[in-house]
Each structure stands twice: as structure tokens, then as C-alpha cells.
Amino acid sequence: MIGVDLVRRGLASYAATIVEDPARPRAAVAVVLRDAAAGPEVLLIERARHPQDPWSGHMAFPGGRVDPADPDARAAAERETLEEVGLPLAGAELLGRLDDLEGRNAGRPLQLVISAWVYHVKEHGPLVQNYEVATTLWVPLTRLVDPRQRVEYPTPVGEFPGILVGEPDRHVVWGLTYRFLEILLERIGHPLPHRW
């Protein structure tokens, strides 16, 4: 049985790999869990489609670029979550941090460093999407580890492993979000197939 306690224990002693390079652009995301009747659910967003956004239309965690006014990357993840879906994380339980990942921004040579923090919210009001978000989905962790939901996601550079979390060909988790989920689910004893 996957529960929040399992996630809490799995992350309690985890020393995340941190990329320390102040010269590189940074972003941060929040991996938000809530309790549900069938077990914990994770919040995913479908990014709104925009021609200037290299991740336009992708399934993702709420988050975004670290602004100069942000005290740190974690503060950026919390600010972006509030802006994008109206969910305050100030009173949420911080369960832990995942490894920093590096993502290419539209093929540019300088890579973006993305950090992720895992939160547990006990109660929250309705989500309020801003212009950056097309859809929000609360997805059971049990669905993420269900082999029947695994798909191949086609891209111009080849197929990548994905997880179907909603409408086929639209709500598929792949890429950086899949890689963050790999780290999280590995920590709780439910690893995804590693095919990178």
C-alpha cells in the first residue's frame, strides 16, 4: 500500500544531488501530495499552449523560473504554485527534496537546472488556474506505478517512456516530470522502468 507515511519515510534520510552553479538559469517545482480515499494523489498541471514555451502543452508539476526577488529556489516553487493554481504551500508539510535535474531549453547550450520539493497538503480550497495552466489533475500514486498506464511518447528525436494520466495523446507524463517521478517512486520502493 502506498501512503504518505511511506513517502515521508522514503525521503526522510534522502540526500538529494544538488547542482551548484550560480551562473546557470534555475527553475523549481512543487510535487504536491494530498490524501484521498484510495491513497495519496499528486498534483499535475497541463501547461497552456504558447509558441514561446519549449514545454508548451506538457504535463508538469506547478513551478517555474527562479526570479531575482525569490530568496531561494524553494521559495520560487512555492510562489509559482500559488500563482499557477492558487495553492498556498506556506502551511504544508515539507516531505523532502528530490535530485536537481538539468533540462535543455529549446536546444540551447546553457542548461536549465530544475529543483523539486515534495509537499503534503491536508486541506486546501479549490484550485484556481492562471493563464499558464490549461488543466489541473490530481493523479493517484497507484496509477503512476500501474504498468497498464505506461506508454511510449513520440517526439521528433525518438520515443520516451511515459505514463498516461488522463486523455490519451494529451495527458502523458514524460521527460523531466517522469524523471522526477522516477526519483520519488524509487525512494518508496516502486521504481519505474529506467530507459534513459
Side-chain angles (χ1 to χ4, degrees):
M1 172 69 179
I2 298 177
V4 172
D5 281 342
L6 182 62
V7 178
R8 189 180 287 114
R9 288 192 307 271
L11 293 177
S13 61
Y14 185 60
T17 301
I18 309 302
V19 176
E20 300 285 357
D21 186 348
R24 292 167 68 180
R26 301 192 75 92
V29 300
V31 182
V32 182
L33 302 175
R34 73 172 184 184
D35 296 309
E41 297 175 331
V42 64
L43 175 62
L44 292 168
I45 64 169
E46 178 187 12
R47 294 176 64 90
R49 299 195 178 274
H50 190 283
Q52 302 302 319
D53 181 1
W55 296 286
S56 174
H58 290 193
M59 297 304 297
F61 299 115
R65 292 284 186 131
V66 177
D67 288 344
D70 292 320
D72 53 34
R74 178 180 162 193
E78 293 180 4
R79 173 186 54 76
E80 287 279 349
T81 300
L82 183 60
E83 290 175 1
E84 291 181 349
V85 297
L87 180 60
L89 295 175
E93 177 188 5
L94 177 65
L95 298 176
R97 182 174 181 176
L98 304 178
D99 296 345
D100 287 351
L101 296 179
E102 299 171 308
R104 292 195 180 278
N105 189 347
R108 296 180 187 141
L110 189 63
Q111 290 186 330
L112 186 67
V113 177
I114 304 104
S115 303
W117 282 266
V118 183
Y119 295 87
H120 175 228
V121 293
K122 291 189 177 178
E123 296 180 8
H124 63 85
L127 300 179
V128 180
Q129 301 163 198
N130 75 357
Y131 67 94
E132 299 173 90
V133 178
T135 307
T136 57
L137 297 173
W138 286 101
V139 179
L141 291 184
T142 53
R143 182 180 181 113
L144 298 177
V145 300
D146 183 348
R148 295 171 296 180
Q149 305 308 321
R150 294 181 189 147
V151 297
E152 297 292 324
Y153 189 82
T155 75
V157 295
E159 291 190 335
F160 288 86
I163 304 169
L164 180 62
V165 296
E167 295 179 29
D169 302 322
R170 178 178 172 190
H171 299 140
V172 176
V173 172
W174 70 285
L176 288 168
T177 305
Y178 185 97
R179 288 168 63 196
F180 277 127
L181 286 173
E182 273 188 310
I183 298 164
L184 175 63
L185 295 171
E186 174 76 29
R187 292 301 306 154
I188 64 173
H190 292 273
L192 293 172
H194 187 75
R195 300 194 23 230
W196 297 93

